[in-house]
Amino acid sequence: DAGITQSPRHKVTETGTPVTLRCHQTENHRYMYWYRQDPGHGLRLIHYSYGVKDTDKGEVSDGYSVSRSKTEDFLLTLESATSSQTSVYFCAISDRQGYEAFFGQGTRLTVV
Amino acid sequence: EDKVVQSPLSLVVHEGDTVTLNCSYEVTNFRSLLWYKQEKKAPTFLFMLTSSGIEKKSGRLSSILDKKELFSILNITATQTGDSAVYLCAVGATGNQFYFGTGTSLTVIP
């Protein structure tokens, strides 16, 4: 299995609070991604990174920000959590653009 | 609009049956087609296909890609209860994009 660790694995937070999810990899892969998975929608890209300090938006980026200060860490921040952001969040890594990607175990986030 | 469509949405079979899962796509700047298995947790990588007509095999699972007709199939022979999962198809493209289908839910009954 690819060395990807997401933390926390589960979190319950209140509406309006900031939340940060962490993705840590030990594979030295260049590309990192944050997805959310919701019933009926499948996996949707939030943000991705193509190198340290190089990030870009995906299709559902509103309300989310990211940072990548080191190759191994990719952080996803919800500045002010809303109930619509209740979801399962997956981090993925890839060492070649557009080729196989490997997923972390996911973070189940509930915003109440 | 780039999209990936999987069919059927769900499938119930008996152990020992053979199943075929379908994935069709319309994605510009295609690089690869990927199959994943998801069992209540993270998607786990099964296959990557980049060339037409070349079958990838892993045990009872196999997959093939048709780049002319823009589809792929995933076959599972002699199904077992452990094959019960959601199978995801994704297309990798340039521009750091992976386009995912919504998956096929497979249930294998003993």
Side-chain angles (χ1 to χ4, degrees):
Chain A
D1 287 347
I4 312 169
T5 304
Q6 290 185 232
S7 59
R9 294 292 311 280
H10 302 271
K11 185 169 182 67
V12 180
T13 192
E14 293 186 350
T15 298
T17 60
V19 176
T20 295
L21 309 183
R22 182 181 183 233
C23 178
H24 178 79
Q25 61 145 329
T26 58
E27 305 296 322
N28 201 36
H29 284 357
R30 178 179 177 184
Y31 304 99
M32 298 185 75
Y33 308 83
W34 277 107
Y35 288 89
R36 60 178 289 174
Q37 188 174 38
D38 304 288
H41 290 280
L43 284 155
R44 292 181 293 173
L45 182 65
I46 306 171
H47 281 278
Y48 64 90
S49 170
Y50 47 97
V52 173
K53 298 187 179 179
D54 292 323
T55 65
D56 208 344
K57 297 178 180 180
E59 66 175 304
V60 290
S61 60
D62 287 349
Y64 302 95
S65 62
V66 290
S67 66
R68 191 170 178 197
S69 58
K70 299 184 290 184
T71 299
E72 57 266 35
D73 289 325
F74 193 31
L75 304 180
L76 176 70
T77 297
L78 290 66
E79 302 291 346
S80 177
T82 67
S83 59
S84 65
Q85 294 176 312
T86 291
S87 186
V88 179
Y89 291 86
F90 287 104
C91 173
I93 64 173
S94 175
D95 66 350
R96 295 188 296 165
Q97 186 187 93
Y99 296 100
E100 68 267 58
F102 301 95
F103 285 82
Q105 290 301 300
T107 295
R108 183 174 294 277
L109 176 68
T110 303
V111 183
V112 298
Chain B
E1 181 184 346
D2 296 308
K3 63 180 178 181
V4 175
V5 178
Q6 293 185 245
S7 64
L9 291 180
S10 64
L11 199 53
V12 181
V13 301
H14 289 94
E15 267 193 321
D17 288 349
T18 294
V19 298
T20 298
L21 310 183
N22 304 293
C23 176
S24 63
Y25 63 92
E26 294 178 27
V27 175
T28 54
N29 301 312
F30 173 97
R31 284 203 164 177
S32 66
L33 189 136
L34 310 167
W35 284 99
Y36 292 86
K37 178 182 182 182
Q38 187 173 25
E39 302 171 87
K40 297 188 185 297
K41 49 183 182 177
T44 54
F45 175 77
L46 294 175
F47 295 113
M48 181 178 74
L49 303 108
T50 58
S51 301
S52 268
I54 299 175
E55 186 181 47
K56 289 284 186 84
K57 293 196 73 170
S58 177
R60 296 177 294 102
L61 278 65
S62 64
S63 183
I64 197 161
L65 171 66
D66 186 328
K67 290 174 74 173
K68 181 179 178 183
E69 300 298 329
L70 307 182
F71 78 90
S72 174
I73 60 172
L74 176 67
N75 281 318
I76 308 175
T77 59
T79 52
Q80 302 171 356
T81 55
D83 295 326
S84 295
V86 174
Y87 290 83
L88 298 172
C89 173
V91 172
T94 57
N96 276 299
Q97 279 286 12
F98 290 96
Y99 298 91
F100 283 84
T102 52
T104 293
S105 176
L106 174 65
T107 302
V108 181
I109 300 171

